[in-house]
Amino acid sequence: MPKEFPADSVGLVTPKRMHLDQPLQLDGGQVLPSYDLVYETYGTLNGDRSNAVLIEHALSGDHHAAGYHEGVTKPGWWEACIGPGKPIDTNRFFVVCCNNLGGCRGSTGPLSVNPETGRVYGADFPIVTVRDWVRSQTRLADALGIEQWAAVVGGSLGGMQTLEWAIRYPERCRHAVAIAAAPKLSAQNIAFNEVARQAIMTDPEFHDGRYAEHGVIPRRGLALARMLGHITYLSDDAMGAKFGRELREGKFSFNYDVEFQVESYLRHQGQSFVDKFDANTYLLMTKALDYFDPASEHDGNLSRAMEPATASFLILSFTSDWRFPPNRSREIVRALLEGDKNVAYSEIEAHHGHDAFLMPIPEYIQLFSAYMNRVAGEVGA
Amino acid sequence: MPKEFPADSVGLVTPKRMHLDQPLQLDGGQVLPSYDLVYETYGTLNGDRSNAVLIEHALSGDHHAAGYHEGVTKPGWWEACIGPGKPIDTNRFFVVCCNNLGGCRGSTGPLSVNPETGRVYGADFPIVTVRDWVRSQTRLADALGIEQWAAVVGGSLGGMQTLEWAIRYPERCRHAVAIAAAPKLSAQNIAFNEVARQAIMTDPEFHDGRYAEHGVIPRRGLALARMLGHITYLSDDAMGAKFGRELREGKFSFNYDVEFQVESYLRHQGQSFVDKFDANTYLLMTKALDYFDPASEHDGNLSRAMEPATASFLILSFTSDWRFPPNRSREIVRALLEGDKNVAYSEIEAHHGHDAFLMPIPEYIQLFSAYMNRVAGEVGA
């Protein structure tokens, strides 16, 4: 936690918890009798409750999107875009971000106690879908008294949740902002997820997902999954600019210790992730990604899938993103245009790769701010 | 083994073994007192020994480049390009391909017995470099009485060896053909190698590389490394065309069994690799890749590094190759042109990704044949 918060930060924040006891029917067939969602809010809900913005997190994200937690130096994951005067301006919007169901940062998930057995869910926690998430979030919105979001906003997997909101709950989603997203995973995307899953599941300490009962965690597998993830989040250029072929010791060691800076970076990312993320959550998040494909119910016709949406859309992509490249965003834009939807699209020049959506890139911030400014104006915020 | 060999195949082939007992000084500082290289030859060496072509293999390749082994259905790895009437026409050329030093298919490597200890080398086998390989191959050439190769030819890591031959032994390398190669790995390439290495080395059955002594192999790690490799060998498009999002059972299972066809493919590739490749060899091959960077001795100036070469070059790349994309080949071409070298370059339209160099793509075969035809003409073959 910095000694003084930056003026454009929401500053100190404290997570809240909402218990929702209306049973939730999941796409996989199971029913969750009740569940908790942990969430944060920034800014103030206005009198007519029209200025609420829902932030959707990505694979390894959580409810802590902005500001600082007591005693922690690093701010929330989207500090670049949420705060006073930032694109999602907390002087104008009431911002809500929850940890997704199945997560590992407080919302009901594999680390929670299964009320039916009195034991930690672990591997018994059901695989959830993007639709399940959105369904669970509608209950949170109800509980907060928010009938319609001024905007639902997300990057990457968060962008998929945004699309799902726009399709399933058109009357509750005034604007939909999907950044660095895709309408479904490609075979290559699924392949990367599968290697990550196999890394975790073949770790001898995975114990079929019941590692908690054995008092261990599948550290090796989860670290590998994270290392692999990091490669796909950065562009080749960004990695080159950041690390190049620089050696840690200046010369080759002819052994298998860390030699190149990029190796050091990856190992560190892998190791530090293991202590803050749960392997079962990682697995189910990748499955939610794999399964998302709203067009599949319409013979692959995305335009027909988006038909119910009444939101205005902002779709943004980044030139160097090779996880969800601009052509994936253009698929969404084409489908929306075919359906005569209101859509703004921009492909932002950035060398950062997929991670660009988390960065304060001037062109990005400017475009995003302009759009959100319009949203704020519409709702009188 | 097919009942009848195709007319354009070299047919049944038998590997040969050459024992080389002149000590080999390695870049890493160690000296190999003697070593064996296992190799295959196709075609006939002409009277003035001028029609020999050396084939260099890639990461998981070996000496079995063409034709069939007794009882085995699958032909050699470059059957598409080597044989009667093929680009490397065995009616005209005498073709040699050896398993690299450190390999696991018969040449001296981690699976061999260390003459100094009487025990299998395993993790004690030294890390070798591309230069070490080429140095060891000059001894094989000497033993075969080949003073000058009509051409040294290789794809991927094989292309790197080709460049090394042209630089270090210009008088022995008349033509150099480097396909889908790069003058050095990018940070992203190294990152992928590092994840593969970590997968192997963190497998509890790796035992610091002494798994043979424990009677096990690091199956999980090696399978993961191979799965990851396969993602980088295929383009996103090729994977899409091959597998798309097709499900094995037609619907989601909401568990972690194989669901998508691409998962089934990857798991199969991983599992079958484990029984035919050695983990220590895989590790050292990736290190040879990481270390290769001829320009590094010349302040990063590749043109100066290539200065000694007198060969004529053919450089080929494939549009959809994202492991070593066309711009990596163009780096080589630019360096050669700056040095006034004789170079032909073509970027071939292909959707197959890096693996394209192994495929009978018409434009590729035609260009490759035309060039090798010229080579054959020059040496009167």
Side-chain angles (χ1 to χ4, degrees), chain B residues 49-236:
Chain B
R49 297 166 178 271
S50 64
N51 71 332
V53 169
L54 179 65
I55 307 296
E56 302 281 9
H57 72 71
L59 182 56
S60 60
D62 59 19
H63 52 282
H64 184 35
Y68 294 84
H69 283 175
E70 184 70 47
V72 179
T73 318
K74 241 179 108 186
W77 55 269
W78 222 6
E79 183 74 3
C81 294
I82 304 171
K86 289 179 181 169
I88 299 168
D89 189 341
T90 49
N91 289 333
R92 307 176 78 182
F93 292 114
F94 175 65
V95 181
V96 178
C97 182
C98 77
N99 184 211
N100 280 353
L101 199 63
C104 53
R105 307 284 172 92
S107 291
T108 299
L111 297 180
S112 311
V113 170
N114 181 346
E116 286 175 17
T117 63
R119 282 162 46 201
V120 164
Y121 274 107
D124 291 334
F125 195 85
I127 289 180
V128 290
T129 64
V130 168
R131 200 196 306 196
D132 292 332
W133 282 334
V134 168
R135 205 178 279 133
S136 72
Q137 291 162 3
T138 62
R139 310 278 173 80
L140 177 64
D142 294 344
L144 295 172
I146 295 159
E147 267 176 49
Q148 186 188 56
W149 299 104
V152 178
V153 181
S156 192
L157 175 54
M160 291 172 164
Q161 295 168 70
T162 296
L163 297 181
E164 189 71 21
W165 262 100
I167 294 170
R168 305 290 171 190
Y169 303 96
E171 71 290 354
R172 305 193 74 164
C173 179
R174 194 177 171 89
H175 288 268
V177 180
I179 307 171
K184 61 172 185 257
L185 293 199
S186 69
Q188 190 190 69
N189 294 147
I190 296 172
F192 275 117
N193 279 348
E194 172 63 4
V195 176
R197 282 191 293 264
Q198 286 297 312
I200 293 170
M201 291 165 56
T202 63
D203 186 322
E205 305 207 304
F206 181 64
H207 295 291
D208 287 326
R210 301 183 189 287
Y211 43 87
E213 297 169 31
H214 293 257
V216 291
I217 43 175
R219 300 185 69 86
R220 289 172 287 244
L222 190 53
L224 284 171
R226 182 61 166 177
M227 289 170 78
L228 184 53
H230 266 280
I231 301 181
T232 70
Y233 304 151
L234 292 178
S235 69
D236 192 5

Side-chain angles (χ1 to χ4, degrees), chain A residues 27-28 127 129 184-192 194-195 197-199 201-204 220 224 227-228 231 234-236 239-240 243-245 252-257 259-260 262-263 266-267 280 283-284 287 289-293 322, chain B residues 27-28 127 129 184-192 194-195 197-199 201-204 220 224 227-228 231 234-236 239-240 243-245 252-257 259-260 262-263 266-267 280 283-284 287 289-293 322:
Chain A
D27 279 348
I127 290 180
T129 64
K184 61 173 184 258
L185 293 199
S186 69
Q188 189 190 70
N189 294 147
I190 296 172
F192 275 117
E194 172 63 5
V195 175
R197 281 192 293 263
Q198 286 297 310
M201 291 165 56
T202 64
D203 186 323
R220 289 172 287 245
L224 284 171
M227 290 170 77
L228 184 53
I231 301 181
L234 291 178
S235 70
D236 193 4
M239 267 202 170
F243 309 108
R245 295 178 47 87
F252 296 147
S253 64
F254 291 95
N255 62 38
Y256 296 106
D257 295 342
E259 292 203 271
F260 294 94
V262 66
E263 295 174 308
L266 283 180
R267 288 196 198 178
N280 283 317
L283 291 177
L284 70 81
K287 273 296 188 187
L289 270 163
D290 287 5
Y291 285 171
F292 182 71
D293 182 9
W322 66 277
Chain B
D27 279 348
I127 289 180
T129 64
K184 61 172 185 257
L185 293 199
S186 69
Q188 190 190 69
N189 294 147
I190 296 172
F192 275 117
E194 172 63 4
V195 176
R197 282 191 293 264
Q198 286 297 312
M201 291 165 56
T202 63
D203 186 322
R220 289 172 287 244
L224 284 171
M227 289 170 78
L228 184 53
I231 301 181
L234 292 178
S235 69
D236 192 5
M239 267 203 170
F243 308 107
R245 295 177 47 88
F252 295 147
S253 64
F254 290 95
N255 63 37
Y256 296 106
D257 295 341
E259 293 203 272
F260 293 94
V262 65
E263 296 174 308
L266 282 180
R267 289 196 198 177
N280 282 317
L283 291 177
L284 71 80
K287 272 296 188 188
L289 270 163
D290 286 5
Y291 285 170
F292 182 72
D293 182 8
W322 67 277

